[in-house]
């Protein structure tokens, strides 16, 4: 996670929110009629974990292909939401997403081993390859929201993101520390720097990355009132706490050239919203 990028983003959004607050609609300057509903503009923030799932393949510099990866990340940011008298609600999330996936596979290689008697043999050795791909992204997610029943709601939107940084780490670890040679002797397998049993084959940015990411989001949540205030039309809720489950469906792929790499995410967010 790149904290400086998130802090800069949050500061810019906060300044814009303060400037825009003076233009918010607040229902009416006079009491509303019995058939009229108030107009709200909510401001807030959100934070929560995401659980990521890999589709397609990503490759490392040694042409090793990884599939079926999964991992966790973090989402956080600011939001604004506007509800019209018709009941239609539109809004947007603007923030940071950290996504990561890890994949692994085992391979058997023929490695020359020398017995204590000096005889050399080609012996099958098992290795574990592990790769972790992570990236930090700024995202913009406008949506349309509708009440379902009571305080439950559903919403659907379009997520547009830009990847600001990425990291790919590929390690290879020995899984067969001791082998039996064809002559019946046992031999210890030495692998890695200082016999550590593991080497790092790659550690740096993901070279095949497509920076712009587009996908769809579907969400469901429940609004928990926290505070109320008297308005011209009566007592009304002014602050809510909202647990939200959101699923991101990728449209574009992360890899530029091949592999059809896509990462879908299931996000559990806690939103805090208020209106003045």
């Amino acid at each position: 996670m790149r904290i400086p990028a998130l802090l800069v983003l949050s500061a810019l959004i906060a300044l814009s929110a303060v400037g825009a607050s003076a233009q918010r609609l607040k229902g009416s300057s006079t009491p509303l009629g019995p058939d009229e509903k108030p107009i709200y503009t909510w401001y807030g923030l959100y934070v929560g974990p995401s659980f990521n799932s890999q589709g397609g393949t990503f490759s490392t510099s040694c042409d090793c292909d990884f599939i079926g990866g999964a991992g966790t990340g973090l989402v956080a940011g600011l939001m604004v939401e506007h509800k019209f008298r018709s009941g239609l609600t539109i809004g947007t999330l603007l923030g940071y997403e950290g996504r990561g996936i890890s994949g692994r596979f085992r391979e058997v290689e023929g490695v020359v081993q020398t017995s204590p008697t000096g005889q050399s043999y080609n012996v099958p050795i098992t290795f574990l390859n592990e790769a972790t791909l992570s990236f930090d992204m700024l995202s913009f997610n406008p949506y349309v929201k509708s009440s379902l029943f009571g305080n439950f709601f559903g919403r659907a939107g379009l997520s547009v993101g830009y990847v600001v940084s990425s990291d790919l780490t590929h390690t290879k670890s020995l899984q067969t520390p001791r082998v039996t040679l064809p002559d019946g002797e046992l031999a210890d397998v030495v692998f890695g720097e200082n016999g550590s049993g593991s080497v790092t084959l790659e550690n740096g940015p993901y070279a095949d990355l497509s920076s712009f990411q587009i996908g769809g989001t579907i969400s469901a949540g429940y609004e928990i009132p926290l505070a109320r205030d008297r308005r011209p039309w009566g007592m009304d809720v002014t602050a809510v706490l909202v647990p939200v489950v959101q699923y991101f469906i990728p449209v574009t792929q992360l890899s530029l050239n091949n592999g059809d790499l896509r990462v879908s995410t299931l996000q559990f967010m806690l939103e805090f919203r208020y209106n003045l």
Side-chain angles (χ1 to χ4, degrees), residues 29-84:
S29 58
T30 60
L32 300 176
D35 297 328
E36 291 184 293
K37 297 180 180 179
I39 298 174
Y40 295 102
T41 298
W42 296 85
Y43 295 101
L45 51 85
Y46 63 93
V47 65
S50 67
F51 298 88
N52 312 313
S53 178
Q54 174 189 346
T57 303
F58 71 91
S59 302
T60 58
S61 58
C62 64
D63 291 330
C64 298
D65 294 334
F66 292 84
I67 61 174
T72 59
L74 174 72
V75 294
L78 303 178
M79 64 179 302
V80 60
E81 187 176 278
H82 186 74
K83 182 177 181 179
F84 297 92

